[in-house]
């Protein structure tokens, strides 16, 4: 058994989970800065526009449409939704006045879930729907957020420091930050 290769695979999976959390909520100190850590606004650099959902405790169809139309035209073509599983469920449960569901995801295998003509990417690190939460983001992520990743996990084998044991030190370098604040908008659960 190649212990270094096995360990590298296990650690890469754990680091991937940690990175995903940081891309959403990271504070930028020894980790990427997350998209949800910026102040609300649309006029000053370093602010991300937040669109109220129209309800103090829920998503609304009108709020999602307002979010969709708040994204500036140059970014709409490549825009994608990001949200958690419970938020997708909340959207799927939205009904019209006659009790009919407003939206249902595709049922065919391999068919992407689409909302207002744009794909949904499931990000479990996005918050759930709750008062003052930011559960949905919409934007052109290639323009909005940049990830700098040094490829691979580095494993250093140390057979000398703790005999008869072998120590393994692992490192991975990654960074991320919003690089275009106009290329995304966020839904805030608020009236």
């Amino acid at each position: 058994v190649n212990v270094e290769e096995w360990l590298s695979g296990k650690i890469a999976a754990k680091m991937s989970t940690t990175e995903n959390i940081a891309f959403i909520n990271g504070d930028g100190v020894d980790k990427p800065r997350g998209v949800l850590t910026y102040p609300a606004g649309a006029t000053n650099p370093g602010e991300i526009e937040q669109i109220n959902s129209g309800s103090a405790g829920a998503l609304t169809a009108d709020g999602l449409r307002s979010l969709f139309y708040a994204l500036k035209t140059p970014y709409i073509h490549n825009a994608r939704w990001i949200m958690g599983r419970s938020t997708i469920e909340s959207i799927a449960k939205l009904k019209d006045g006659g009790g009919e569901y407003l939206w249902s995801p595709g049922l065919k295998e391999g068919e992407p879930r689409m909302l207002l003509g744009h794909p949904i990417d499931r990000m479990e690190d996005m918050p759930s729907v709750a008062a003052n939460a930011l559960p949905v983001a919409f934007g052109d992520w290639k323009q909005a957020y940049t990830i700098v990743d040094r490829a691979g996990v580095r494993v250093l084998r140390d057979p000398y420091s703790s005999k008869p044991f072998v120590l393994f030190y692992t490192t991975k370098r990654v960074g991320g930050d919003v690089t275009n604040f106009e290329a995304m908008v966020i839904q805030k659960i608020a009236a």
Side-chain angles (χ1 to χ4, degrees):
V1 175
N2 184 339
V3 174
E4 290 180 40
E5 185 178 306
W6 174 84
L7 185 62
S8 179
K10 288 289 194 184
I11 290 171
K14 179 67 175 171
M15 286 183 175
S16 175
T17 301
T18 304
E19 289 171 4
N20 289 340
I21 293 168
F23 295 147
I24 300 300
N25 294 304
D27 61 10
V29 178
D30 294 332
K31 65 178 83 82
R33 176 125 187 229
V35 296
L36 300 183
T37 62
Y38 287 91
T43 56
N44 297 319
E47 295 177 339
I48 298 175
E49 187 173 6
Q50 293 180 6
I51 305 299
N52 288 345
S53 68
S55 171
L59 286 170
T60 65
D62 288 344
L64 290 168
R65 287 187 182 276
S66 294
L67 183 67
F68 176 82
Y69 288 111
L71 187 65
K72 295 188 177 178
T73 303
Y75 310 109
I76 199 75
H77 180 69
N78 294 317
R80 300 177 76 87
W81 302 89
I82 61 169
M83 61 188 80
R85 177 186 42 180
S86 64
T87 303
I88 295 170
E89 179 184 3
S90 295
I91 293 170
K93 289 180 178 179
L94 290 174
K95 296 180 181 179
D96 64 15
E100 297 294 319
Y101 290 109
L102 295 174
W103 177 76
S104 64
L107 298 175
K108 292 182 183 175
E109 183 67 31
E111 186 177 272
R113 285 181 289 251
M114 304 286 272
L115 180 62
L116 296 172
H118 292 270
I120 298 172
D121 291 328
R122 203 162 114 175
M123 300 275 297
E124 295 306 326
D125 302 307
M126 289 291 286
S128 297
V129 175
N132 293 314
L134 305 171
V136 180
F138 181 62
D140 180 347
W141 299 105
K142 289 181 181 178
Q143 297 288 325
Y145 196 84
T146 300
I147 297 171
V148 180
D149 193 358
R150 185 178 218 178
V153 175
R154 186 171 168 224
V155 178
L156 175 65
R157 185 174 198 255
D158 178 4
Y160 307 110
S161 297
S162 185
K163 289 186 178 186
F165 303 104
V166 176
L167 301 175
F168 291 93
Y169 299 95
T170 57
T171 57
K172 184 168 195 272
R173 298 188 66 163
V174 66
D177 206 344
V178 174
T179 50
N180 185 342
F181 292 91
E182 293 183 338
M184 62 187 242
V185 289
I186 298 172
Q187 182 94 84
K188 182 174 183 173
I189 304 300

